[in-house]
Amino acid sequence: MSERSKGMWLCALAMVTVGSTVVASKLIASGLPPFTATALRFGLALPVFAALMWFMRVRWPRPDRHDAVLLLCQAAAGSVGYTVLLILGVRWAPAADAGVVSGTLPAMAALVAVLALRERPGRYLIGGIVLASLGVLAITLRPGDGAGERSSTALLGNLLVLGAVALESLFILLNKRLRVPLAPLVQSTAMVALGFLLSVIPALLERAWLHQVPAEALAGVAYYALVPTVAGFLLWYAGAARLRGAEAALFTALMPVSALVLAAWWLGEAVGGAQIAGAACVLGAVGLVSLDGRRREGAVKPADVYSQSFACRKAHGEGSSSAHRKSNIPEQGNST
């Protein structure tokens, strides 16, 4: 198998793990409070990342006060905020819906960058944002959703997931403000460590140990911590190192598709026409944002978005794939 083929398989598997986070969150939401689940997730992932840093002989950075504050804000928004809102969202909304909404991340990140940095959006980017919005509307305003109370509950869940995506977009924007960018493994470890510190006190206040916790919820936390967070990170960067940035960007479209398939297969959720239409709109949005990124140097690209988001969502590690595509993870770590 050629190196390019290996890169494609690795990036595809990484995006499947991304899509599986909504299914894991659904299992977690059935038996654990959100901050407790978040603290457990990062508590399980942290020793693994620390071991990776030790094995690769990566030195811990010493950021200045400016970057330290930004890293703390990134952890609050992208690590803790994203996880908590996602778990709360899938408690009320179907996991298939959450997968479609989560797939709008590239378009949401581009929109946040335009609003915050006052960049002039091109026609591809505008089209991508419009398509992503239509995808969200297709699942949140679909007719025939049953009782009014159930419909409004699902709407609230989808809005919470959309809020999670917005917080992760803020994470990506803050990453651009770092004076000294961190290598992927270093930033992933930092996000996991800070995420644990920020979530552990609220978790203690939830006092989850006073209630019986279902085994499937604990299994969901363990899966989320070790597969999307750790394995997803390793798969994505191993794959992106073998591909061009534009090629890696194509595989980000697998995220909402894998979420729909896994929600139907593992959770037994019914996937209707509205959800399929919503996913199609999101896939189109990813494609248009990717075209805009190729047209404009420095523009937001889906591959970059998911590379950066791996430090907060799945190991979410944070330089752009295009910046690191000629390096492997150990080389990036040793350069720190």
Side-chain angles (χ1 to χ4, degrees):
M1 183 182 295
S2 67
E3 288 298 301
R4 184 170 176 270
S5 296
K6 290 180 183 178
M8 291 180 174
W9 277 106
L10 290 168
C11 285
L13 288 174
M15 284 299 103
V16 170
T17 71
V18 176
S20 70
T21 58
V22 294
V23 176
S25 297
K26 190 74 172 181
L27 297 175
I28 293 167
S30 66
L32 277 173
F35 283 102
T36 300
T38 301
L40 287 174
R41 173 203 167 192
F42 292 131
L44 289 172
L46 182 56
V48 181
F49 277 112
L52 285 172
M53 289 188 65
W54 176 82
F55 179 75
M56 296 176 182
R57 298 182 181 180
V58 178
R59 290 178 294 177
W60 191 254
R62 296 182 178 179
D64 59 20
R65 182 177 299 179
H66 173 271
D67 281 7
V69 171
L70 285 183
L71 289 171
L72 187 64
C73 291
Q74 283 185 284
S79 295
V80 177
Y82 174 87
T83 307
V84 168
L85 287 185
L86 179 62
I87 292 173
L88 288 174
V90 297
R91 181 173 292 174
W92 295 304
D97 284 12
V100 174
V101 176
S102 296
T104 64
L105 176 59
M108 176 70 81
L111 177 60
V112 170
V114 167
L115 295 176
L117 303 179
R118 298 185 179 180
E119 297 176 355
R120 177 176 295 180
R123 63 180 183 276
Y124 291 129
L125 184 55
I126 293 175
I129 293 171
V130 170
L131 270 180
S133 301
L134 290 175
V136 174
L137 289 175
I139 60 173
T140 56
L141 301 181
R142 62 180 180 270
D145 229 10
E149 182 179 354
R150 186 175 63 184
S151 178
S152 61
T153 299
L155 175 60
L156 174 60
N158 288 329
L159 290 176
L160 287 171
V161 176
L162 189 62
V165 175
L167 286 180
E168 194 165 358
S169 300
L170 177 60
F171 167 93
I172 295 166
L173 179 64
L174 291 174
N175 200 66
K176 296 177 181 293
R177 303 296 188 182
L178 290 174
R179 291 173 178 170
V180 181
L182 302 180
L185 179 58
V186 176
Q187 190 164 13
S188 293
T189 306
M191 291 300 101
V192 169
L194 291 173
F196 175 75
L197 292 175
L198 290 172
S199 59
V200 68
I201 293 179
L204 292 175
L205 295 176
E206 289 176 335
R207 305 173 73 182
W209 61 85
L210 297 178
H211 309 281
Q212 186 175 2
V213 178
E216 67 176 12
L218 294 174
V221 171
Y223 173 86
Y224 199 155
L226 300 177
V227 179
T229 304
V230 177
F233 167 81
L234 297 173
L235 288 169
W236 179 258
Y237 277 98
R242 293 170 167 85
L243 299 174
R244 297 193 305 270
E247 290 178 325
L250 296 176
F251 290 91
T252 64
L254 289 176
M255 187 273 172
V257 175
S258 67
L260 285 178
V261 172
L262 290 171
W265 173 61
W266 189 261
L267 300 177
E269 291 186 359
V271 177
Q275 290 162 321
I276 294 175
C281 288
V282 170
L283 295 182
V286 171
L288 288 176
V289 172
S290 180
L291 287 174
D292 186 80
R294 293 175 62 183
R295 185 181 65 85
R296 295 188 300 153
E297 184 180 357
V300 174
K301 308 178 187 69
D304 297 348
V305 166
Y306 279 105
S307 292
Q308 293 168 14
S309 70
F310 261 100
C312 61
R313 181 152 45 130
K314 311 102 207 117
H316 301 154
E318 298 7 357
S320 72
S321 62
S322 58
H324 297 297
R325 64 178 179 267
K326 296 181 180 179
S327 304
N328 56 35
I329 294 173
E331 288 171 346
Q332 292 167 2
N334 290 336
S335 66
T336 302

